Amino acid sequence: MEFKDKLRSLRKSKNRTQKMVSDKIDVSLRTYKNYELGHSRPRYREIYLKLSKIYDININYLLTEDEFLDKASEKYGKNGFLQAKHLVNQLGALFAGGELSEKDRDVVMRQMQEIYWDAKKENKKFTPKKYLKDENE
């Protein structure tokens, strides 16, 4: 599930307006709307922390997708990013039923990310040497 969808879902589940949330996290209404529309993301970790407190969730739930996609992009380039994005989207569809708690969703997301990294590492041995990046990266 993308950050924007997480925000919208959490806000609606708590019956809050965008204005109420923007006031609580000390950002303008326009800025908060841009978060929910996916046009921007919070620049400072402090905003993520405030959001996690408002919704009584682990901050990692809000950060998970971003860190995972960034790392996949850094390590495996555009194709790695696209594969990771596809995985995140598929997991978002799996969670759409709303049967799992936020904590359980976070656990599933983290486990799927570990499986992704393990698969990439395992498949690396089948990659021709000329395409391999330095092992220290």
Side-chain angles (χ1 to χ4, degrees):
M1 184 181 297
E2 291 185 45
F3 177 73
K4 65 179 184 171
D5 299 322
K6 290 177 185 179
L7 271 188
R8 187 177 302 116
S9 174
L10 288 166
R11 180 179 57 79
K12 287 184 177 184
S13 73
K14 298 288 186 177
N15 295 317
R16 296 197 170 129
T17 65
Q18 290 178 331
K19 176 72 173 140
M20 292 167 70
V21 177
S22 68
D23 288 345
K24 287 232 182 227
I25 63 172
D26 299 319
V27 299
S28 70
L29 178 58
R30 177 183 297 251
T31 298
Y32 184 79
K33 283 183 178 184
N34 282 330
Y35 294 162
E36 280 197 12
L37 291 171
H39 296 306
S40 65
R41 295 177 184 266
R43 290 185 187 163
Y44 305 106
R45 193 170 181 89
E46 177 185 335
I47 301 296
Y48 289 99
L49 187 60
K50 288 179 182 181
L51 286 166
S52 70
K53 287 181 181 178
I54 290 170
Y55 295 123
D56 193 30
I57 58 169
N58 187 315
I59 191 172
N60 290 326
Y61 175 68
L62 296 173
L63 296 172
T64 302
E65 175 201 347
D66 297 340
E67 291 175 5
F68 176 59
L69 294 178
D70 289 345
K71 189 174 178 183
S73 180
E74 276 179 32
K75 210 165 184 181
Y76 300 107
K78 184 178 179 182
N79 284 339
F81 172 81
L82 293 174
Q83 291 169 348
K85 181 81 169 160
H86 181 72
L87 176 63
V88 168
N89 288 340
Q90 292 299 315
L91 285 173
L94 177 69
F95 297 151
E99 304 274 331
L100 292 174
S101 69
E102 296 298 323
K103 183 179 178 182
D104 291 339
R105 288 180 190 185
D106 189 42
V107 169
V108 170
M109 180 66 85
R110 289 189 175 282
Q111 289 302 311
M112 289 305 295
Q113 289 175 10
E114 286 301 315
I115 291 169
Y116 173 84
W117 295 125
D118 290 346
K120 284 297 218 180
K121 187 176 180 181
E122 183 67 23
N123 287 329
K124 195 172 192 176
K125 64 184 172 188
F126 301 111
T127 304
K129 289 182 182 179
K130 68 180 183 179
Y131 295 112
L132 290 176
K133 290 185 176 181
D134 184 5
E135 287 295 316
N136 297 328
E137 291 182 7

